[in-house]
């Protein structure tokens, strides 16, 4: 039911790149990405809409493959501030409205 | 500055107690959500509401109920708390409509049931 994220955890050094994947068993209309720092609320990074439109963060990019029902988040030249848990979220249609379902999360730690 | 406020950051309750978690948003959002966050399981949707007095079950509604009497306030109720409901609870709000954009989250309420 929940989108599955991979990897579950990743450790990298400042300046290195990382890719986080999000895969759904159900059709995706849109994909959202959030980052949660320890002890804080999750914060919106970006949304990718069906049809290719992307809105969000200037230093982090993402792709959305509607056919494969997958999205990937690309963090290039990682900074210490990128550390946190990343969640992908999707909209699922329900009776009369849409609900937001989140993935299992990826813990990312950037070392100096 | 937009805000979602959860009434209690930390609560400790005993098994069988009734627990109320309150959430208030000041953005005039139609949608409000309750999630629980557990290590390795991510954020799981308990209930959500898309209008006053309207509610829908999420993926794990068992043992929970909700109330939305005013647009800005969404309450999560544990009728009889159990130890397996020990968790971090996150409230969120958003505008209505598909693809409408981001959810705004509160800072969370960490509940421990003894």
């Amino acid at each position: 039911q929940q989108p599955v994220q991979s990897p579950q955890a990743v450790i990298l050094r400042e300046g290195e790149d990382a890719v986080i994947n999000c895969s759904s068993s159900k059709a995706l209309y849109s994909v959202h990405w959030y980052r949660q720092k320890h002890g804080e609320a999750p914060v919106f990074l970006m949304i990718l809409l069906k049809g290719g439109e992307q809105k969000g963060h200037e230093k982090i990019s993402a792709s959305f493959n509607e056919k494969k029902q997958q999205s990937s988040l690309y963090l290039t030249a990682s900074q210490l501030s990128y550390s946190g848990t990343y969640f992908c979220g999707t909209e699922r249609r329900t009776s009369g409205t849409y609900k937001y379902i989140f993935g299992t999360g990826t813990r990312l730690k950037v070392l100096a | 500055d937009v805000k979602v406020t959860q009434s209690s950051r930390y609560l400790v309750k005993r098994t069988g107690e009734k627990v109320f978690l309150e959430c208030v948003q000041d953005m005039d959002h139609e949608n409000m959500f309750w999630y629980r966050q557990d290590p390795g399981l991510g954020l799981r949707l308990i209930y959500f509401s898309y209008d006053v007095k309207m509610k829908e079950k999420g993926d794990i509604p068992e043992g929970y109920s909700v109330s939305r009497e005013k647009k800005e306030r969404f309450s999560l109720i544990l009728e009889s708390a159990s130890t397996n409901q020990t968790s971090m609870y996150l409230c969120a709000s958003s505008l209505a409509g598909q693809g409408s954009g981001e959810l705004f989250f509160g800072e969370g309420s960490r509940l421990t049931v003894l």
Side-chain angles (χ1 to χ4, degrees):
Chain A
Q1 178 77 334
Q2 273 181 287
V4 176
Q5 290 181 231
S6 63
Q8 284 189 312
V10 57
I11 299 174
L12 55 156
R13 296 233 171 246
E14 216 173 354
E16 291 181 338
D17 301 340
V19 180
I20 299 172
N21 301 302
C22 175
S23 181
S24 173
S25 59
K26 298 196 176 190
L28 299 174
Y29 170 81
S30 66
V31 178
H32 304 223
W33 286 97
Y34 291 78
R35 175 171 62 210
Q36 183 183 32
K37 293 184 179 287
H38 184 69
E40 298 181 9
V43 173
F44 174 78
L45 293 175
M46 76 175 43
I47 178 172
L48 300 104
L49 302 174
K50 206 169 184 177
E53 186 180 357
Q54 175 180 317
K55 309 179 201 178
H57 206 281
E58 58 182 26
K59 292 190 177 181
I60 297 172
S61 62
S63 63
F64 179 20
N65 188 323
E66 298 154 31
K67 213 170 182 180
K68 291 187 178 179
Q69 296 167 183
Q70 292 175 344
S71 176
S72 295
L73 186 72
Y74 305 98
L75 302 117
T76 54
S78 297
Q79 304 169 17
L80 294 175
S81 61
Y82 285 8
S83 292
T85 302
Y86 289 77
F87 294 100
C88 66
T90 68
E91 293 172 81
R92 294 266 169 84
R93 178 142 188 118
T94 178
S95 51
T97 186
Y98 296 89
K99 59 183 181 181
Y100 288 82
I101 304 294
F102 285 89
T104 47
T106 297
R107 284 178 286 112
L108 185 140
K109 176 81 175 170
V110 180
L111 303 175
Chain B
D1 201 17
V2 296
K3 208 154 185 175
V4 177
T5 304
Q6 294 184 229
S7 55
S8 306
R9 290 295 304 272
Y10 301 95
L11 301 98
V12 179
K13 298 290 180 181
R14 297 212 173 269
T15 301
E17 279 192 89
K18 192 168 186 175
V19 182
F20 291 89
L21 299 179
E22 302 279 329
C23 175
V24 178
Q25 51 98 359
D26 64 0
M27 295 163 281
D28 202 34
H29 283 167
E30 291 84 4
N31 294 339
M32 295 188 75
F33 307 84
W34 276 106
Y35 295 90
R36 67 176 278 177
Q37 182 175 13
D38 300 288
L41 299 177
L43 300 171
R44 291 181 294 166
L45 181 63
I46 304 171
Y47 266 98
F48 70 105
S49 168
Y50 53 91
D51 201 351
V52 176
K53 297 192 187 293
M54 305 303 288
K55 60 186 178 185
E56 284 213 20
K57 292 180 181 179
D59 295 331
I60 52 163
E62 296 78 20
Y64 303 95
S65 62
V66 290
S67 171
R68 193 165 181 201
E69 296 295 320
K70 293 185 177 181
K71 191 175 184 180
E72 67 271 18
R73 188 179 297 269
F74 192 36
S75 302
L76 181 69
I77 303 151
L78 288 69
E79 293 289 342
S80 177
S82 63
T83 54
N84 63 13
Q85 293 178 309
T86 291
S87 187
M88 171 68 85
Y89 290 87
L90 288 167
C91 175
S93 71
S94 76
L95 289 169
Q98 192 180 32
S100 55
E102 66 184 289
L103 270 65
F104 293 87
F105 283 88
E107 292 194 319
S109 298
R110 183 166 292 283
L111 172 67
T112 301
V113 183
L114 303 174

